[in-house]
Structure formats: structure tokens, C-alpha cells
Amino acid sequence: MIEDVRAGMAEAGADALVLRPSPDFRYLGGRGGGYLVLTPDGPLSTVAAPAEAAALIPSSARRVAVDPEMRASELFALGLDTELMLASAVLAPLRLRKRPEEVAAMRRAASAADAVLLSARELAWFGATERAMAFRLRAVLAETGCEDVISVVVAAGEHTAVAAHTPCDRVINPGDALLVSVCGRWDGYCAEVARVFAVAEPPDDFEAMYSVVLSAQHAALEAVRPGVPAAEPARIAREVIDGSGYGHYAAGRQARGIGLSPEEGPRPASDEVFSPGMTVCLEPGIFLPELFGARVADVVVCGSRGPEPLSLSSPSLHVMDR
């Protein structure tokens, strides 16, 4: 892998690479704090302070690639009199296609997130608040070994129609639709799973709308194949929703790349093409203002023969009796 990074540095014209704790840092094996430095000839080195990192950079260096998450204070402490560029120009293309051990790590992350949503079915929702249930789900995430809770969404009733809803003190009642999602990081890798429930019974007309979301997800899944443009799953999901008459209410985003970051390449707006090892989160949704909405999310890896879902629980509407 290091030789691939060096090849990318040469192509980008970077004479050194300096990373702080971040997804790129983790990709090169960094743990904890400090800084990673890589040059065309020397070993991958870990140092504690920016000044130590700067001392490893060749005096002849003209261009240095720095971590996208590098703070201004850290850049000043490096004291570099060179042209700076983002290390993502070197590492993002390499991070696009996950190695087998990375796919295995993402499979474990997706399985853990999936387990949280499965256990959510057994919780007592009636009479609880969104905020209280979100707190309980955060506790369950911690029990799975989640090292970083990125987001927990619990939306009930009309709040399911709000794309970026923050759990509040709204009480969950029979007849409410529930949109529940968890996104976290396990052993460095991110996964998100979103599911839709109903308490006692779904609202009128909800199941018809939700069937469109499921159809969009299934159609998008089939597009995660080698040689297919990375923009295709989102385009197809949107096409299904548009064809159902709900196009005006479709979620703004139907898919995104995922890995060490909750959002990374392949990006639907790019000209990237799927190849084995690329991972995406398919997340079609429909939001009907002041009524209800639905969104499902699952992590999928592009396999050599087609899509391989990493979260395996059924997205079918689950009706809870409590």
C-alpha cells in the first residue's frame, strides 16, 4: 500500500505527505495522536509534534501534501516554505476501492449498526419521547463497541417528514410512523442503517408511499456493479420515485460513498465508475411535509459479480405492539 501512496505522490508532484489524526491518517495505519510523515525515500514515520514532522521533510521539497483536517495552528507550526496541497488528492483515489481487510471491517461495522436497529424492535416506544429513545439507542451503540457515534435519528409522526430532524420531546403514540437511523464508526470504519417502524398500526396511505421507497432501494442496489457509473444508483432511485408521482418530495440525496468517513467517494456527482471494493450507502427517501416520510439506508459493497449488502436485516415495515 505504501508504494501505491508513493506512486500517487509522484503523480501529484508531492515531495512529502504529512497527516494528523483523521480518516487519511487512519488509512495509513495511524492510531492515537501525533503526525505521520511519508517521503519518496524514507519510511513511514510517526512523530509527536509538528516541528518533528517538519524536520523529516527534505530541504529540497517544493510541494507538500497536508491532511485536509490540518488546523491552521498546525500548519504554522510546521513552518513550511513550500507549496501546500491537500493529501486527499493523493489518498482519495486509493481509498475509493477498499482492500479485502477493509471490506471485512466495514462488514463488521454494518453488522453492528444492523444489530442496534434489530434490538430497537424490542424496546418500549409507546409513551416515550424521541429524545429518550435516541439516548437509549446511543447506549446500545456503545455496547456494540462503537467508538464514535456520528448520528442517531429518532423521528415520530410528522417529524418523519423532516430530512434532518433532531430528536426532541415529542411523545411517541400509537398510529405513529417512526424513522430510526444510527450512524457510527467501528474500528475506524463507518456504517449507517436506517429503518422505518410503526407503532400499533401505520398511518393511512403510509404503506403505499413506503413501498415506493423500498422499490427505489431495490433498483438502486442492482446498479452497484463493476463498470456502472457511480452516479447510477442515485439516478435510478430518483427515477423510481419520480415515476411514482412522489418526485417533488424525494430526498435530496439518494446515495453516497462511505468508508473511513461517513461521506466520501465514490460520489454520485462524479464521473467515477464502480469497481470491486467500492462501498456506498444507499439511502432513498420520500418526505411529505407535515404528514410523514420514510428513508432506508444500507451499506453495500460492489463485488466482482455485483452488489453485496453489508447490513442484512429486512427493510420491510415493522409494526411494533408497544
PDB file of all heavy atoms in Angstrom, residues 251-273:
ATOM      1  N   ALA A 251     -36.024  12.744  -1.303  1.00  0.00           N
ATOM      2  CA  ALA A 251     -34.876  13.227  -0.535  1.00  0.00           C
ATOM      3  C   ALA A 251     -33.856  13.847  -1.481  1.00  0.00           C
ATOM      4  O   ALA A 251     -33.719  13.425  -2.637  1.00  0.00           O
ATOM      5  CB  ALA A 251     -34.250  12.071   0.235  1.00  0.00           C
ATOM      6  N   GLY A 252     -33.137  14.814  -0.992  1.00  0.00           N
ATOM      7  CA  GLY A 252     -32.156  15.493  -1.832  1.00  0.00           C
ATOM      8  C   GLY A 252     -30.999  14.609  -2.228  1.00  0.00           C
ATOM      9  O   GLY A 252     -30.333  14.847  -3.235  1.00  0.00           O
ATOM     10  N   ARG A 253     -30.727  13.567  -1.445  1.00  0.00           N
ATOM     11  CA  ARG A 253     -29.623  12.654  -1.728  1.00  0.00           C
ATOM     12  C   ARG A 253     -30.132  11.227  -1.607  1.00  0.00           C
ATOM     13  O   ARG A 253     -30.788  10.878  -0.641  1.00  0.00           O
ATOM     14  CB  ARG A 253     -28.477  12.904  -0.743  1.00  0.00           C
ATOM     15  CG  ARG A 253     -27.249  12.051  -0.980  1.00  0.00           C
ATOM     16  CD  ARG A 253     -26.120  12.461  -0.044  1.00  0.00           C
ATOM     17  NE  ARG A 253     -26.450  12.210   1.350  1.00  0.00           N
ATOM     18  CZ  ARG A 253     -25.651  12.532   2.374  1.00  0.00           C
ATOM     19  NH1 ARG A 253     -24.516  13.156   2.136  1.00  0.00           N
ATOM     20  NH2 ARG A 253     -26.007  12.263   3.618  1.00  0.00           N
ATOM     21  N   GLN A 254     -29.809  10.405  -2.578  1.00  0.00           N
ATOM     22  CA  GLN A 254     -30.289   9.022  -2.593  1.00  0.00           C
ATOM     23  C   GLN A 254     -29.167   8.008  -2.341  1.00  0.00           C
ATOM     24  O   GLN A 254     -29.436   6.835  -2.101  1.00  0.00           O
ATOM     25  CB  GLN A 254     -30.947   8.704  -3.940  1.00  0.00           C
ATOM     26  CG  GLN A 254     -32.038   9.679  -4.355  1.00  0.00           C
ATOM     27  CD  GLN A 254     -33.269   9.599  -3.477  1.00  0.00           C
ATOM     28  OE1 GLN A 254     -33.609   8.557  -2.952  1.00  0.00           O
ATOM     29  NE2 GLN A 254     -33.949  10.731  -3.306  1.00  0.00           N
ATOM     30  N   ALA A 255     -27.911   8.446  -2.419  1.00  0.00           N
ATOM     31  CA  ALA A 255     -26.780   7.535  -2.214  1.00  0.00           C
ATOM     32  C   ALA A 255     -25.526   8.359  -1.969  1.00  0.00           C
ATOM     33  O   ALA A 255     -25.448   9.529  -2.372  1.00  0.00           O
ATOM     34  CB  ALA A 255     -26.592   6.625  -3.427  1.00  0.00           C
ATOM     35  N   ARG A 256     -24.547   7.753  -1.307  1.00  0.00           N
ATOM     36  CA  ARG A 256     -23.248   8.405  -1.082  1.00  0.00           C
ATOM     37  C   ARG A 256     -22.193   7.333  -0.838  1.00  0.00           C
ATOM     38  O   ARG A 256     -22.510   6.214  -0.425  1.00  0.00           O
ATOM     39  CB  ARG A 256     -23.312   9.343   0.121  1.00  0.00           C
ATOM     40  CG  ARG A 256     -23.432   8.620   1.464  1.00  0.00           C
ATOM     41  CD  ARG A 256     -23.555   9.593   2.620  1.00  0.00           C
ATOM     42  NE  ARG A 256     -23.354   8.983   3.928  1.00  0.00           N
ATOM     43  CZ  ARG A 256     -24.295   8.390   4.646  1.00  0.00           C
ATOM     44  NH1 ARG A 256     -25.537   8.314   4.170  1.00  0.00           N
ATOM     45  NH2 ARG A 256     -24.025   7.878   5.821  1.00  0.00           N
ATOM     46  N   GLY A 257     -20.934   7.686  -1.072  1.00  0.00           N
ATOM     47  CA  GLY A 257     -19.850   6.792  -0.720  1.00  0.00           C
ATOM     48  C   GLY A 257     -19.632   6.813   0.786  1.00  0.00           C
ATOM     49  O   GLY A 257     -19.959   7.785   1.471  1.00  0.00           O
ATOM     50  N   ILE A 258     -19.082   5.726   1.325  1.00  0.00           N
ATOM     51  CA  ILE A 258     -18.859   5.612   2.771  1.00  0.00           C
ATOM     52  C   ILE A 258     -17.649   4.726   2.998  1.00  0.00           C
ATOM     53  O   ILE A 258     -17.333   3.867   2.174  1.00  0.00           O
ATOM     54  CB  ILE A 258     -20.121   5.050   3.470  1.00  0.00           C
ATOM     55  CG1 ILE A 258     -20.027   5.196   4.993  1.00  0.00           C
ATOM     56  CG2 ILE A 258     -20.382   3.596   3.060  1.00  0.00           C
ATOM     57  CD1 ILE A 258     -21.348   4.896   5.717  1.00  0.00           C
ATOM     58  N   GLY A 259     -16.959   4.935   4.111  1.00  0.00           N
ATOM     59  CA  GLY A 259     -15.777   4.134   4.424  1.00  0.00           C
ATOM     60  C   GLY A 259     -15.187   4.598   5.739  1.00  0.00           C
ATOM     61  O   GLY A 259     -15.837   4.540   6.779  1.00  0.00           O
ATOM     62  N   LEU A 260     -13.950   5.094   5.718  1.00  0.00           N
ATOM     63  CA  LEU A 260     -13.355   5.672   6.912  1.00  0.00           C
ATOM     64  C   LEU A 260     -14.060   6.965   7.301  1.00  0.00           C
ATOM     65  O   LEU A 260     -14.006   7.382   8.454  1.00  0.00           O
ATOM     66  CB  LEU A 260     -11.864   5.927   6.685  1.00  0.00           C
ATOM     67  CG  LEU A 260     -10.974   4.672   6.721  1.00  0.00           C
ATOM     68  CD1 LEU A 260      -9.618   4.956   6.109  1.00  0.00           C
ATOM     69  CD2 LEU A 260     -10.814   4.156   8.149  1.00  0.00           C
ATOM     70  N   SER A 261     -14.708   7.593   6.342  1.00  0.00           N
ATOM     71  CA  SER A 261     -15.534   8.785   6.592  1.00  0.00           C
ATOM     72  C   SER A 261     -16.994   8.424   6.328  1.00  0.00           C
ATOM     73  O   SER A 261     -17.275   7.546   5.498  1.00  0.00           O
ATOM     74  CB  SER A 261     -15.128   9.935   5.670  1.00  0.00           C
ATOM     75  OG  SER A 261     -13.798  10.333   5.905  1.00  0.00           O
ATOM     76  N   PRO A 262     -17.932   9.095   7.012  1.00  0.00           N
ATOM     77  CA  PRO A 262     -19.349   8.808   6.750  1.00  0.00           C
ATOM     78  C   PRO A 262     -19.788   9.247   5.365  1.00  0.00           C
ATOM     79  O   PRO A 262     -20.817   8.806   4.882  1.00  0.00           O
ATOM     80  CB  PRO A 262     -20.081   9.580   7.849  1.00  0.00           C
ATOM     81  CG  PRO A 262     -19.125  10.640   8.273  1.00  0.00           C
ATOM     82  CD  PRO A 262     -17.755  10.063   8.105  1.00  0.00           C
ATOM     83  N   GLU A 263     -18.992  10.116   4.740  1.00  0.00           N
ATOM     84  CA  GLU A 263     -19.292  10.540   3.370  1.00  0.00           C
ATOM     85  C   GLU A 263     -17.969  10.730   2.624  1.00  0.00           C
ATOM     86  O   GLU A 263     -17.152  11.560   3.006  1.00  0.00           O
ATOM     87  CB  GLU A 263     -20.089  11.844   3.370  1.00  0.00           C
ATOM     88  CG  GLU A 263     -20.484  12.297   1.978  1.00  0.00           C
ATOM     89  CD  GLU A 263     -21.383  13.521   1.971  1.00  0.00           C
ATOM     90  OE1 GLU A 263     -21.866  13.899   3.055  1.00  0.00           O
ATOM     91  OE2 GLU A 263     -21.594  14.091   0.896  1.00  0.00           O
ATOM     92  N   GLU A 264     -17.745   9.936   1.598  1.00  0.00           N
ATOM     93  CA  GLU A 264     -16.527  10.008   0.800  1.00  0.00           C
ATOM     94  C   GLU A 264     -16.826   9.469  -0.593  1.00  0.00           C
ATOM     95  O   GLU A 264     -17.984   9.237  -0.939  1.00  0.00           O
ATOM     96  CB  GLU A 264     -15.397   9.219   1.476  1.00  0.00           C
ATOM     97  CG  GLU A 264     -15.696   7.731   1.678  1.00  0.00           C
ATOM     98  CD  GLU A 264     -14.559   7.004   2.389  1.00  0.00           C
ATOM     99  OE1 GLU A 264     -14.097   7.481   3.438  1.00  0.00           O
ATOM    100  OE2 GLU A 264     -14.135   5.946   1.889  1.00  0.00           O
ATOM    101  N   GLY A 265     -15.801   9.241  -1.395  1.00  0.00           N
ATOM    102  CA  GLY A 265     -16.026   8.678  -2.720  1.00  0.00           C
ATOM    103  C   GLY A 265     -16.393   7.209  -2.639  1.00  0.00           C
ATOM    104  O   GLY A 265     -16.127   6.549  -1.630  1.00  0.00           O
ATOM    105  N   PRO A 266     -17.048   6.674  -3.679  1.00  0.00           N
ATOM    106  CA  PRO A 266     -17.412   7.345  -4.928  1.00  0.00           C
ATOM    107  C   PRO A 266     -18.596   8.309  -4.730  1.00  0.00           C
ATOM    108  O   PRO A 266     -19.521   8.006  -3.990  1.00  0.00           O
ATOM    109  CB  PRO A 266     -17.808   6.193  -5.848  1.00  0.00           C
ATOM    110  CG  PRO A 266     -18.301   5.122  -4.916  1.00  0.00           C
ATOM    111  CD  PRO A 266     -17.445   5.252  -3.690  1.00  0.00           C
ATOM    112  N   ARG A 267     -18.523   9.447  -5.403  1.00  0.00           N
ATOM    113  CA  ARG A 267     -19.544  10.480  -5.246  1.00  0.00           C
ATOM    114  C   ARG A 267     -20.499  10.462  -6.441  1.00  0.00           C
ATOM    115  O   ARG A 267     -20.049  10.411  -7.588  1.00  0.00           O
ATOM    116  CB  ARG A 267     -18.879  11.850  -5.108  1.00  0.00           C
ATOM    117  CG  ARG A 267     -17.957  11.908  -3.888  1.00  0.00           C
ATOM    118  CD  ARG A 267     -17.370  13.278  -3.659  1.00  0.00           C
ATOM    119  NE  ARG A 267     -16.407  13.250  -2.563  1.00  0.00           N
ATOM    120  CZ  ARG A 267     -16.712  13.287  -1.269  1.00  0.00           C
ATOM    121  NH1 ARG A 267     -17.984  13.377  -0.910  1.00  0.00           N
ATOM    122  NH2 ARG A 267     -15.782  13.248  -0.349  1.00  0.00           N
ATOM    123  N   PRO A 268     -21.803  10.490  -6.176  1.00  0.00           N
ATOM    124  CA  PRO A 268     -22.788  10.430  -7.269  1.00  0.00           C
ATOM    125  C   PRO A 268     -22.613  11.516  -8.315  1.00  0.00           C
ATOM    126  O   PRO A 268     -22.971  11.327  -9.477  1.00  0.00           O
ATOM    127  CB  PRO A 268     -24.120  10.566  -6.536  1.00  0.00           C
ATOM    128  CG  PRO A 268     -23.857  10.047  -5.156  1.00  0.00           C
ATOM    129  CD  PRO A 268     -22.448  10.472  -4.858  1.00  0.00           C
ATOM    130  N   ALA A 269     -22.062  12.665  -7.922  1.00  0.00           N
ATOM    131  CA  ALA A 269     -21.919  13.764  -8.875  1.00  0.00           C
ATOM    132  C   ALA A 269     -20.631  13.676  -9.690  1.00  0.00           C
ATOM    133  O   ALA A 269     -20.363  14.538 -10.523  1.00  0.00           O
ATOM    134  CB  ALA A 269     -21.963  15.099  -8.143  1.00  0.00           C
ATOM    135  N   SER A 270     -19.829  12.625  -9.465  1.00  0.00           N
ATOM    136  CA  SER A 270     -18.552  12.499 -10.164  1.00  0.00           C
ATOM    137  C   SER A 270     -18.717  11.625 -11.404  1.00  0.00           C
ATOM    138  O   SER A 270     -19.795  11.105 -11.692  1.00  0.00           O
ATOM    139  CB  SER A 270     -17.506  11.873  -9.238  1.00  0.00           C
ATOM    140  OG  SER A 270     -17.789  10.496  -9.041  1.00  0.00           O
ATOM    141  N   ASP A 271     -17.617  11.454 -12.123  1.00  0.00           N
ATOM    142  CA  ASP A 271     -17.637  10.563 -13.286  1.00  0.00           C
ATOM    143  C   ASP A 271     -16.994   9.217 -12.959  1.00  0.00           C
ATOM    144  O   ASP A 271     -16.599   8.478 -13.848  1.00  0.00           O
ATOM    145  CB  ASP A 271     -16.932  11.217 -14.480  1.00  0.00           C
ATOM    146  CG  ASP A 271     -15.486  11.600 -14.157  1.00  0.00           C
ATOM    147  OD1 ASP A 271     -15.036  11.365 -13.019  1.00  0.00           O
ATOM    148  OD2 ASP A 271     -14.807  12.142 -15.061  1.00  0.00           O
ATOM    149  N   GLU A 272     -16.913   8.890 -11.670  1.00  0.00           N
ATOM    150  CA  GLU A 272     -16.306   7.625 -11.240  1.00  0.00           C
ATOM    151  C   GLU A 272     -17.183   6.446 -11.656  1.00  0.00           C
ATOM    152  O   GLU A 272     -18.409   6.556 -11.762  1.00  0.00           O
ATOM    153  CB  GLU A 272     -16.096   7.629  -9.726  1.00  0.00           C
ATOM    154  CG  GLU A 272     -15.037   8.641  -9.277  1.00  0.00           C
ATOM    155  CD  GLU A 272     -15.197   9.090  -7.846  1.00  0.00           C
ATOM    156  OE1 GLU A 272     -16.248   8.796  -7.233  1.00  0.00           O
ATOM    157  OE2 GLU A 272     -14.292   9.774  -7.352  1.00  0.00           O
ATOM    158  N   VAL A 273     -16.552   5.314 -11.874  1.00  0.00           N
ATOM    159  CA  VAL A 273     -17.223   4.091 -12.288  1.00  0.00           C
ATOM    160  C   VAL A 273     -16.973   3.019 -11.233  1.00  0.00           C
ATOM    161  O   VAL A 273     -15.854   2.899 -10.712  1.00  0.00           O
ATOM    162  CB  VAL A 273     -16.704   3.614 -13.667  1.00  0.00           C
ATOM    163  CG1 VAL A 273     -17.289   2.260 -14.039  1.00  0.00           C
ATOM    164  CG2 VAL A 273     -17.037   4.656 -14.733  1.00  0.00           C
TER     165      VAL A 273
END
